[in-house]
Amino acid sequence: MPATASAPVRRRPSGEPPPLPREDRWIRRIWVLAAVLLLGAGLSVLIATTDVVQTADEAVLSWFAEARSSALTDAASLVALLTTFAAVMTLRCATVLVLVVYRPSATWWSSWRPWW
C-alpha cells in the first residue's frame, strides 16, 4: 500500500450531462454597480434640469402651513425642547442610572420561574 493514497476518481453515470459552467459573481456585481451609477446620474440630471424638488418642497410646506394651528405649534415647541443639549445629556444620564440600579433586579426577574 502506498504511503499517500489518492481519492477515487468520481465518474458520472452514463447519460448524465456534464455540470454547467460556474457563473462569475463579480460580473453580477458590476451590473448592479452600473445600474446604481446610471440611476444616480439620471436623478442628478433630472434634479439639475427641472424644478421637481422645488415643486415637491413647496407642496409639502403649503400642506404644513394649512395644517398649522396654535396647539400644534405649542406641541412642536415642547418636542423641540427635548433636542437641546441639556435635555439629551439628562436623558442619557437617567438611562445609565436606571440600567445600573435595575440591572440586578432585571436579571433576577428574567431568571425567576413561578412555583406553580
Side-chain angles (χ1 to χ4, degrees):
M1 177 184 261
T4 58
S6 62
V9 177
R10 182 185 179 280
R11 298 185 179 268
R12 290 189 312 271
S14 61
E16 184 178 330
L20 295 173
R22 302 185 98 169
E23 180 184 351
D24 292 328
R25 289 185 179 183
W26 61 272
I27 293 175
R28 187 177 314 153
R29 290 178 182 162
I30 287 176
W31 278 108
V32 169
L33 178 65
V36 167
L37 290 175
L38 186 63
L39 180 67
L43 285 175
S44 178
V45 168
L46 178 72
I47 290 170
T49 59
T50 62
D51 292 332
V52 173
V53 175
Q54 184 69 26
T55 305
D57 186 33
E58 290 174 359
V60 169
L61 285 176
S62 66
W63 181 82
F64 274 111
E66 291 171 6
R68 186 175 184 174
S69 67
S70 61
L72 287 176
T73 303
D74 293 339
S77 298
L78 288 175
V79 170
L81 288 177
L82 292 175
T83 64
T84 62
F85 180 76
V88 170
M89 292 309 291
T90 303
L91 288 172
R92 284 181 177 181
C93 291
T95 302
V96 168
L97 184 65
V98 166
L99 290 174
V100 166
V101 170
Y102 288 110
R103 182 174 177 200
S105 62
T107 305
W108 182 82
W109 280 107
S110 66
S111 64
W112 181 74
R113 300 281 188 259
W115 59 271
W116 59 88

